[in-house]
Every structure is written in structure tokens, then in C-alpha cells.
Amino acid sequence: MDSKMRINGGKPLMGTVEAQGAKNASLPVMAAALLLKNSSLRISRVPNLLDVNTMADLLRSLGARVLFSDHEMFISIPDEISWETPSDLVRKMRASSLVLGPLLARCGRAIMPLPGGCSIGSRPIDLHLKGLTKMGATIELVHGAVHAHTKGLSGGRIYLDFPSVGATENLMMAAVFAKGETVLENTAREPEILNLVETLRSMGAIIEADGTGVIRIQGVDSLHSAESRIIPDRIEACTYILAGAATNGEVTVTGVIPNHIDSLLAKLEEAGAQMTVTHDEVTIHPSGRLKGVSLKTLPYPGFPTDLQPQIMASLCIAQGTSVIQESVFQSRFLHVSELNKMGAKIDIQGNTAIVSGVDRLTGADVVATDLRAGAALVISGLAAGDSTYIYHLGHIRRGYEDMEEKLKSLGADVEILPAEIDGTRESQSSVCRES
Ligand code: EPZ
């Protein structure tokens, strides 16, 4: 049964939380383990999230042994693994598509249902498939599933039409055993990509990546056991920083890498927020009412699309107007109607949201339509002067470890309750398999 979160807002958050390991680094690093044979990958600082456990189940379904406790994961891969992914798991999480490259590289075959679209857009994987075809894979779509096979992948030059995170990760992993050199151009440059590069290198892959959008991979014959450590989750960390800003509180997030979140820190400074930044901590101080700002989401190092809903929630009560342009996903504004239910004044014009700051938000029953939209509603609930009920919490659990405990440690009045089955309420939101 899904559950709901009740938030009695209007109180400044005060205290310190530690950033979890990055969800969007953990998932590709886990998938990379499939490149191993009779070897193992030990990963530390893995967050205990729904999506991480889904990926662990997916690896197990292919024949891996996965042990996971207290943020430490041990994945051992036998000599033979299956190359056919179970559709129920793939449909649960789009990031399952990250096993495609490793399976093709390691087994020469892969069968994987096409990941569905969701509330933030159609989310195709055409760039993944185009790159794999260029490397010598034969790809057919049969009954909504990708059937891929190859006699052996070959290197070459692949230019990505868009710096897709997933396509960069899939093609990099596919290239590890390819004949010769593979040069990926116009790649994604997110920190999670470099975390994957470091992991693959520690397994014996030969990869050059300096964050400039060009990645060179020299094919090798095999990889070996290794250890990897996941970087801090920059999106989770910024979610708590923005919650501090929205409640005029004093919140310190520890265990972060500040230069991974430069774009948010710069935008918050522009909005008048007072912050202290050290080598691994960020503190936001009571800054009064933020000033409205304008931003456009872009691939890293631009402002991250995964923070767009959350900063929008914080700017709903800013002084003046904010203009937020979403350029990465087709439609990532489903949280707007829920924020407007709480008294926000947001007008959507195409891929741009015009946010007119209001003095205060009021509590309401709202629905999380996807992971980051849910996080935005938590922020608006914390800022609102009374009670807010957030339904479809499952989305939030996909990407935020122990959010209720972390918020309580910051003094928030939150509680998780069973969600009564309310025909209108529960059926309202579209189900999203983003991630
Ligand atoms: C990753 O998704 C993240 N997920 C997303 O985080 C994040 O929003 C996204 O990158 C952008 O930063 C993980 O890392 C697990 P993309 P991914 O390929 O790889 C289009 C979260 O909340 N596109 O960079 O799926 C696509 O439709 C999640 O943690 C194609 O058209 O994102 C989108 O508009 C949500 N064809 C844009 O590119 C393709 O073949 C960016 O997608 C691939 C992508």
C-alpha cells in the first residue's frame, strides 16, 4: 500500500544532515559489474534506495550474487550470466537500460524491454541504440523489446546528438572490450560519469576522460575484481539546502563536493541567500525572503534539471518574479499544478514557468508525480504555514534515503501515514518510472 507524508510547515529547519551516496552514480556503477567474469566488485557509500534495490534485483535475475547492507555492496559475477532482462524489473526503472551496454560487451547479446516514457517526457533510448549500432551491434525491436547481438563490438568515433547521461554510460561500458579505440564525443559531463570512469579504470579498463565531453576507450580483453566508492548525491544535498532556504532556516549538509553544486550555489547567492562553504560542507544561514531569479536547466555543468522542481518550490515565496526554463526534458512541469494548489502563482508558457512570488503558501493535499516533483512538494509543505499531505510517496523513496528521519533531525514536523484509498486522489497522478 502506498503511503502519504503529513507535514506541518512554517518552521525554520535547523541542524545538520549528511549527504547520501549518489543514486545516479550507484546505478551505472552497479551495472558495470556485469562486465566481470568470475570476479567481484565491492562498492562503498551506496544509498539504500528503492531504485538501488531494483537494480540489485535486476543483477540477481541475470545471475549475479549481490550482498547489500549498511551502504556496502558486494557484487560477484559467475562465469556465465543471462543476457535476457525480466520485463517487470525493467519497467519499474528506466535506468535498467544501463545493463544493455555491459551485456552486449560481455555476452554479445542482450534482450531488454524498451523502457517506458513517464511524466517528465518520452525518454527514448535512440542515442544508446544508434551508438551501439555504430559499434557493430545488430538491433531489432521485437514486441516492444530490444533484441541486440554482435559477433564483437568495434571501436570508432561516435558523436552524441545530445549529451545524454545514460547513452554516455552505456556506450562507454559497451566500448570496454571493443576492438581498437572508441572515441565518444559530445558526451555528458556529470560527476556521476567520472565516478563510473574511475570504477571502470579500477577494474582494468583503459579510459581517458577529462570532463571535456570527449571520452576515449581502448578495448581490453577482460576486467578484474575491484573496489569503488560512490560520490555524494549532489541532488539530494541541494534538496536539503533548498529546504533550508525556503524555511529561512540554518541547515548544514556534510559530506558534499561543493564544486559539484556550483550552479545551485551561484543561483542561491544571486537570490540573496547567505551561505558558508567549506571543502566538504555547505551551510545555508537564515537569509530572509529570497529574491526572484531566472534560470535555464542545462546538461552539467549547467543548472541541473533534477533540481528544477525543488528550486521552483523555494522561489514560490520569493520576492518578485522568477523565470524557469526547462531545456532538458520535454515536460517536467507536472509539479506546477500541485504547487499552485498550495497558493503558488505559476504560469507555464511552453517550456518556461513564470513564478510570481507570493507571501506564503497554504497546506493542501498534493500528489507526487515523479521523484523530484515529490521533493519539491516536501519543500513547499515545509514552507507552508499549516498541514500538507503528500501522496504517492513511493516516488520519493526511489531517490531519498531516510527523508522522514533527516527532516525530523532538522526539526521538521513530519509523519508518514498509510494513504487512505481515495478513488479520486490515488488515481489522479500519472505513474512515472523516471530515474
Ligand atoms: C539521467 O537520466 C538521470 N538518471 C536523470 O535523473 C536526469 O534527469 C538525467 O540524466 C538528465 O540529467 C540517472 O542517471 C539514473 P538523459 P537519463 O539520457 O540518462 C533525451 C532523477 O531524478 N534522450 O541525459 O535518462 C531524453 O529524453 C533522474 O534522478 C533522447 O532523446 O537522461 C531527455 O530529454 C530523472 N534519446 C534528455 O535526452 C536518448 O537516447 C536527457 O536524457 C537518450 C536521451
Side-chain angles (χ1 to χ4, degrees), residues 98-145:
L98 293 171
V99 303
L100 194 51
L103 287 177
L104 254 183
R106 190 225 196 260
C107 308
R109 297 199 62 173
I111 295 180
M112 188 195 72
L114 272 174
C118 72
S119 67
I120 59 179
S122 62
R123 314 279 308 269
I125 57 168
D126 56 313
L127 300 178
H128 303 233
L129 303 180
K130 189 174 162 188
L132 292 171
T133 304
K134 186 102 191 279
M135 295 172 74
T138 303
I139 306 229
E140 293 157 314
L141 294 187
V142 180
H143 305 310

Short mmCIF file of all heavy atoms in Angstrom, two decimals, residues 98-145:
data_model
loop_
_atom_site.label_atom_id
_atom_site.label_comp_id
_atom_site.label_asym_id
_atom_site.label_seq_id
_atom_site.Cartn_x
_atom_site.Cartn_y
_atom_site.Cartn_z
N LEU A 98 20.69 0.65 -18.49
CA LEU A 98 22.15 0.72 -18.35
C LEU A 98 22.81 -0.66 -18.38
O LEU A 98 24.04 -0.74 -18.44
CB LEU A 98 22.53 1.44 -17.05
CG LEU A 98 22.16 2.92 -17.00
CD1 LEU A 98 22.38 3.49 -15.61
CD2 LEU A 98 22.95 3.71 -18.04
N VAL A 99 22.02 -1.74 -18.39
CA VAL A 99 22.66 -3.06 -18.48
C VAL A 99 22.88 -3.46 -19.94
O VAL A 99 23.59 -4.41 -20.22
CB VAL A 99 21.82 -4.15 -17.75
CG1 VAL A 99 21.60 -3.79 -16.30
CG2 VAL A 99 20.50 -4.41 -18.46
N LEU A 100 22.31 -2.68 -20.85
CA LEU A 100 22.38 -3.04 -22.27
C LEU A 100 23.83 -3.07 -22.78
O LEU A 100 24.28 -4.08 -23.34
CB LEU A 100 21.57 -2.01 -23.07
CG LEU A 100 21.21 -2.32 -24.52
CD1 LEU A 100 20.57 -3.68 -24.66
CD2 LEU A 100 20.31 -1.22 -25.07
N GLY A 101 24.57 -2.02 -22.52
CA GLY A 101 25.96 -1.95 -22.98
C GLY A 101 26.82 -3.04 -22.37
O GLY A 101 27.50 -3.78 -23.11
N PRO A 102 26.79 -3.20 -21.05
CA PRO A 102 27.61 -4.26 -20.45
C PRO A 102 27.24 -5.66 -20.95
O PRO A 102 28.13 -6.47 -21.22
CB PRO A 102 27.30 -4.13 -18.95
CG PRO A 102 26.87 -2.73 -18.76
CD PRO A 102 26.21 -2.32 -20.04
N LEU A 103 25.95 -5.94 -21.12
CA LEU A 103 25.55 -7.29 -21.58
C LEU A 103 26.05 -7.54 -23.00
O LEU A 103 26.57 -8.61 -23.30
CB LEU A 103 24.03 -7.46 -21.50
CG LEU A 103 23.44 -7.60 -20.10
CD1 LEU A 103 21.92 -7.69 -20.17
CD2 LEU A 103 24.01 -8.83 -19.39
N LEU A 104 25.91 -6.53 -23.86
CA LEU A 104 26.38 -6.70 -25.24
C LEU A 104 27.89 -6.90 -25.27
O LEU A 104 28.41 -7.77 -25.98
CB LEU A 104 26.05 -5.45 -26.05
CG LEU A 104 24.90 -5.55 -27.06
CD1 LEU A 104 24.76 -4.25 -27.82
CD2 LEU A 104 25.11 -6.70 -28.03
N ALA A 105 28.59 -6.13 -24.46
CA ALA A 105 30.06 -6.22 -24.45
C ALA A 105 30.51 -7.57 -23.92
O ALA A 105 31.45 -8.20 -24.43
CB ALA A 105 30.64 -5.10 -23.60
N ARG A 106 29.82 -8.07 -22.91
CA ARG A 106 30.28 -9.27 -22.21
C ARG A 106 29.72 -10.57 -22.79
O ARG A 106 30.40 -11.59 -22.79
CB ARG A 106 29.87 -9.14 -20.73
CG ARG A 106 30.49 -10.17 -19.82
CD ARG A 106 29.40 -10.67 -18.94
NE ARG A 106 29.91 -11.36 -17.80
CZ ARG A 106 29.98 -12.69 -17.73
NH1 ARG A 106 29.60 -13.42 -18.76
NH2 ARG A 106 30.42 -13.29 -16.67
N CYS A 107 28.45 -10.50 -23.27
CA CYS A 107 27.80 -11.74 -23.75
C CYS A 107 27.60 -11.74 -25.27
O CYS A 107 27.25 -12.75 -25.84
CB CYS A 107 26.42 -11.90 -23.10
SG CYS A 107 26.42 -11.79 -21.32
N GLY A 108 27.73 -10.56 -25.88
CA GLY A 108 27.47 -10.46 -27.33
C GLY A 108 25.98 -10.47 -27.64
O GLY A 108 25.57 -10.47 -28.78
N ARG A 109 25.16 -10.48 -26.59
CA ARG A 109 23.71 -10.49 -26.79
C ARG A 109 23.04 -9.73 -25.67
O ARG A 109 23.58 -9.62 -24.57
CB ARG A 109 23.16 -11.92 -26.78
CG ARG A 109 23.70 -12.80 -27.88
CD ARG A 109 22.83 -14.00 -28.11
NE ARG A 109 21.47 -13.58 -28.55
CZ ARG A 109 20.54 -14.46 -28.96
NH1 ARG A 109 20.80 -15.74 -28.93
NH2 ARG A 109 19.36 -14.04 -29.35
N ALA A 110 21.81 -9.24 -25.94
CA ALA A 110 21.00 -8.65 -24.86
C ALA A 110 19.56 -8.57 -25.34
O ALA A 110 19.32 -8.25 -26.52
CB ALA A 110 21.51 -7.25 -24.52
N ILE A 111 18.66 -8.91 -24.46
CA ILE A 111 17.23 -8.70 -24.76
C ILE A 111 16.68 -7.87 -23.61
O ILE A 111 16.84 -8.23 -22.43
CB ILE A 111 16.46 -10.04 -24.85
CG1 ILE A 111 16.97 -10.85 -26.05
CG2 ILE A 111 14.95 -9.77 -24.98
CD1 ILE A 111 16.28 -12.19 -26.22
N MET A 112 16.08 -6.72 -23.96
CA MET A 112 15.62 -5.81 -22.90
C MET A 112 14.38 -5.06 -23.36
O MET A 112 14.38 -4.45 -24.43
CB MET A 112 16.74 -4.79 -22.59
CG MET A 112 16.46 -3.94 -21.38
SD MET A 112 17.55 -2.53 -21.35
CE MET A 112 16.86 -1.57 -22.68
N PRO A 113 13.29 -5.11 -22.58
CA PRO A 113 12.10 -4.35 -22.96
C PRO A 113 12.47 -2.86 -23.05
O PRO A 113 13.30 -2.38 -22.28
CB PRO A 113 11.13 -4.58 -21.81
CG PRO A 113 11.65 -5.77 -21.10
CD PRO A 113 13.13 -5.79 -21.31
N LEU A 114 11.85 -2.17 -24.00
CA LEU A 114 12.08 -0.73 -24.12
C LEU A 114 11.56 -0.07 -22.84
O LEU A 114 10.45 -0.36 -22.41
CB LEU A 114 11.32 -0.16 -25.31
CG LEU A 114 12.06 -0.18 -26.64
CD1 LEU A 114 11.14 0.28 -27.77
CD2 LEU A 114 13.30 0.72 -26.59
N PRO A 115 12.35 0.79 -22.20
CA PRO A 115 11.84 1.47 -21.00
C PRO A 115 10.67 2.38 -21.39
O PRO A 115 10.68 2.94 -22.48
CB PRO A 115 13.04 2.30 -20.51
CG PRO A 115 13.99 2.37 -21.63
CD PRO A 115 13.70 1.24 -22.55
N GLY A 116 9.69 2.49 -20.52
CA GLY A 116 8.52 3.31 -20.84
C GLY A 116 8.84 4.79 -20.72
O GLY A 116 9.85 5.17 -20.16
N GLY A 117 7.95 5.61 -21.25
CA GLY A 117 8.08 7.06 -21.03
C GLY A 117 7.54 7.34 -19.64
O GLY A 117 7.19 6.43 -18.91
N CYS A 118 7.48 8.60 -19.28
CA CYS A 118 6.91 8.86 -17.96
C CYS A 118 6.51 10.33 -17.89
O CYS A 118 6.51 11.05 -18.89
CB CYS A 118 7.89 8.49 -16.87
SG CYS A 118 9.25 9.59 -16.76
N SER A 119 6.25 10.79 -16.68
CA SER A 119 5.63 12.11 -16.55
C SER A 119 6.60 13.22 -16.92
O SER A 119 6.23 14.36 -17.06
CB SER A 119 5.17 12.31 -15.11
OG SER A 119 6.31 12.39 -14.28
N ILE A 120 7.92 12.89 -17.08
CA ILE A 120 8.80 14.01 -17.44
C ILE A 120 9.20 13.95 -18.91
O ILE A 120 10.06 14.69 -19.37
CB ILE A 120 10.06 14.08 -16.53
CG1 ILE A 120 10.88 12.79 -16.59
CG2 ILE A 120 9.65 14.36 -15.11
CD1 ILE A 120 12.13 12.86 -15.71
N GLY A 121 8.57 13.02 -19.66
CA GLY A 121 8.86 13.01 -21.10
C GLY A 121 8.90 11.61 -21.66
O GLY A 121 8.79 10.63 -20.93
N SER A 122 9.10 11.51 -22.98
CA SER A 122 9.03 10.18 -23.62
C SER A 122 10.25 9.34 -23.26
O SER A 122 10.19 8.13 -23.21
CB SER A 122 8.95 10.37 -25.14
OG SER A 122 10.13 11.02 -25.57
N ARG A 123 11.36 9.94 -23.01
CA ARG A 123 12.58 9.26 -22.55
C ARG A 123 13.02 8.12 -23.49
O ARG A 123 13.14 6.98 -23.09
CB ARG A 123 12.38 8.71 -21.14
CG ARG A 123 11.75 9.64 -20.14
CD ARG A 123 12.71 10.65 -19.52
NE ARG A 123 13.91 10.16 -18.93
CZ ARG A 123 14.05 9.81 -17.64
NH1 ARG A 123 13.02 9.81 -16.85
NH2 ARG A 123 15.21 9.43 -17.16
N PRO A 124 13.20 8.37 -24.79
CA PRO A 124 13.64 7.31 -25.69
C PRO A 124 15.08 6.89 -25.39
O PRO A 124 15.77 7.54 -24.59
CB PRO A 124 13.55 7.96 -27.06
CG PRO A 124 13.74 9.40 -26.81
CD PRO A 124 13.10 9.67 -25.46
N ILE A 125 15.52 5.80 -26.03
CA ILE A 125 16.95 5.43 -25.89
C ILE A 125 17.57 5.33 -27.29
O ILE A 125 18.49 4.55 -27.52
CB ILE A 125 17.14 4.10 -25.11
CG1 ILE A 125 16.37 2.94 -25.78
CG2 ILE A 125 16.75 4.23 -23.66
CD1 ILE A 125 16.77 1.57 -25.20
N ASP A 126 17.06 6.16 -28.21
CA ASP A 126 17.56 6.12 -29.59
C ASP A 126 19.06 6.41 -29.67
O ASP A 126 19.77 5.80 -30.48
CB ASP A 126 16.77 7.09 -30.47
CG ASP A 126 16.79 8.51 -29.93
OD1 ASP A 126 16.56 8.67 -28.72
OD2 ASP A 126 17.09 9.44 -30.68
N LEU A 127 19.56 7.28 -28.81
CA LEU A 127 21.00 7.61 -28.88
C LEU A 127 21.84 6.41 -28.42
O LEU A 127 22.92 6.15 -28.95
CB LEU A 127 21.32 8.84 -28.04
CG LEU A 127 20.60 10.12 -28.45
CD1 LEU A 127 20.95 11.27 -27.51
CD2 LEU A 127 20.91 10.49 -29.89
N HIS A 128 21.30 5.67 -27.43
CA HIS A 128 22.01 4.46 -26.98
C HIS A 128 22.11 3.49 -28.16
O HIS A 128 23.17 2.96 -28.46
CB HIS A 128 21.24 3.76 -25.85
CG HIS A 128 20.93 4.58 -24.64
ND1 HIS A 128 21.25 4.18 -23.36
CD2 HIS A 128 20.30 5.78 -24.50
CE1 HIS A 128 20.83 5.09 -22.49
NE2 HIS A 128 20.26 6.06 -23.16
N LEU A 129 20.96 3.25 -28.80
CA LEU A 129 20.89 2.22 -29.85
C LEU A 129 21.70 2.62 -31.08
O LEU A 129 22.38 1.81 -31.69
CB LEU A 129 19.42 1.95 -30.22
CG LEU A 129 18.52 1.51 -29.05
CD1 LEU A 129 17.09 1.28 -29.53
CD2 LEU A 129 19.07 0.28 -28.35
N LYS A 130 21.67 3.92 -31.40
CA LYS A 130 22.42 4.43 -32.56
C LYS A 130 23.92 4.21 -32.34
O LYS A 130 24.65 3.75 -33.21
CB LYS A 130 22.11 5.92 -32.72
CG LYS A 130 22.61 6.58 -33.97
CD LYS A 130 22.08 8.02 -34.01
CE LYS A 130 22.86 8.90 -34.97
NZ LYS A 130 22.45 10.35 -34.85
N GLY A 131 24.38 4.47 -31.15
CA GLY A 131 25.81 4.31 -30.83
C GLY A 131 26.22 2.85 -30.85
O GLY A 131 27.26 2.48 -31.40
N LEU A 132 25.36 1.99 -30.30
CA LEU A 132 25.69 0.55 -30.26
C LEU A 132 25.72 -0.02 -31.69
O LEU A 132 26.56 -0.84 -32.03
CB LEU A 132 24.68 -0.20 -29.39
CG LEU A 132 24.72 0.13 -27.90
CD1 LEU A 132 23.53 -0.49 -27.16
CD2 LEU A 132 26.04 -0.33 -27.27
N THR A 133 24.80 0.46 -32.52
CA THR A 133 24.79 0.02 -33.92
C THR A 133 26.08 0.43 -34.61
O THR A 133 26.71 -0.36 -35.33
CB THR A 133 23.58 0.64 -34.65
OG1 THR A 133 22.38 0.28 -33.94
CG2 THR A 133 23.47 0.15 -36.09
N LYS A 134 26.52 1.64 -34.34
CA LYS A 134 27.78 2.16 -34.92
C LYS A 134 28.96 1.28 -34.49
O LYS A 134 29.93 1.11 -35.22
CB LYS A 134 27.98 3.60 -34.45
CG LYS A 134 29.16 4.34 -35.07
CD LYS A 134 28.72 5.30 -36.16
CE LYS A 134 29.91 5.83 -36.96
NZ LYS A 134 30.60 6.96 -36.28
N MET A 135 28.84 0.67 -33.31
CA MET A 135 29.93 -0.17 -32.80
C MET A 135 29.83 -1.60 -33.31
O MET A 135 30.64 -2.46 -32.95
CB MET A 135 29.95 -0.14 -31.26
CG MET A 135 30.26 1.23 -30.68
SD MET A 135 30.04 1.27 -28.90
CE MET A 135 31.47 0.36 -28.42
N GLY A 136 28.78 -1.88 -34.14
CA GLY A 136 28.71 -3.21 -34.75
C GLY A 136 27.64 -4.11 -34.17
O GLY A 136 27.59 -5.31 -34.45
N ALA A 137 26.73 -3.54 -33.38
CA ALA A 137 25.63 -4.37 -32.86
C ALA A 137 24.50 -4.39 -33.87
O ALA A 137 24.27 -3.40 -34.57
CB ALA A 137 25.13 -3.80 -31.53
N THR A 138 23.81 -5.52 -33.95
CA THR A 138 22.57 -5.59 -34.73
C THR A 138 21.42 -5.45 -33.75
O THR A 138 21.35 -6.21 -32.77
CB THR A 138 22.48 -6.95 -35.44
OG1 THR A 138 23.64 -7.09 -36.26
CG2 THR A 138 21.21 -7.02 -36.30
N ILE A 139 20.56 -4.47 -34.00
CA ILE A 139 19.50 -4.17 -33.02
C ILE A 139 18.15 -4.30 -33.72
O ILE A 139 17.92 -3.70 -34.77
CB ILE A 139 19.68 -2.75 -32.47
CG1 ILE A 139 21.10 -2.59 -31.92
CG2 ILE A 139 18.57 -2.43 -31.47
CD1 ILE A 139 21.30 -2.03 -30.60
N GLU A 140 17.27 -5.14 -33.14
CA GLU A 140 15.90 -5.23 -33.67
C GLU A 140 14.93 -4.95 -32.53
O GLU A 140 15.20 -5.30 -31.38
CB GLU A 140 15.64 -6.65 -34.21
CG GLU A 140 16.47 -6.96 -35.46
CD GLU A 140 16.63 -8.48 -35.63
OE1 GLU A 140 16.95 -9.16 -34.63
OE2 GLU A 140 16.43 -8.96 -36.74
N LEU A 141 13.79 -4.33 -32.88
CA LEU A 141 12.74 -4.13 -31.89
C LEU A 141 11.69 -5.20 -32.13
O LEU A 141 11.07 -5.22 -33.20
CB LEU A 141 12.16 -2.72 -32.01
CG LEU A 141 13.12 -1.57 -31.68
CD1 LEU A 141 12.38 -0.23 -31.68
CD2 LEU A 141 13.79 -1.79 -30.32
N VAL A 142 11.52 -6.09 -31.17
CA VAL A 142 10.56 -7.19 -31.33
C VAL A 142 9.57 -7.12 -30.16
O VAL A 142 9.98 -7.22 -28.99
CB VAL A 142 11.31 -8.54 -31.32
CG1 VAL A 142 10.33 -9.68 -31.47
CG2 VAL A 142 12.40 -8.57 -32.37
N HIS A 143 8.29 -6.89 -30.49
CA HIS A 143 7.25 -6.81 -29.44
C HIS A 143 7.66 -5.88 -28.30
O HIS A 143 7.61 -6.24 -27.12
CB HIS A 143 6.95 -8.21 -28.87
CG HIS A 143 6.59 -9.23 -29.90
ND1 HIS A 143 5.62 -9.02 -30.85
CD2 HIS A 143 7.08 -10.47 -30.15
CE1 HIS A 143 5.53 -10.08 -31.64
NE2 HIS A 143 6.40 -10.99 -31.24
N GLY A 144 8.16 -4.69 -28.67
CA GLY A 144 8.46 -3.69 -27.63
C GLY A 144 9.71 -3.97 -26.85
O GLY A 144 9.95 -3.36 -25.79
N ALA A 145 10.51 -4.91 -27.35
CA ALA A 145 11.77 -5.19 -26.65
C ALA A 145 12.94 -5.04 -27.62
O ALA A 145 12.82 -5.28 -28.82
CB ALA A 145 11.76 -6.60 -26.06
#
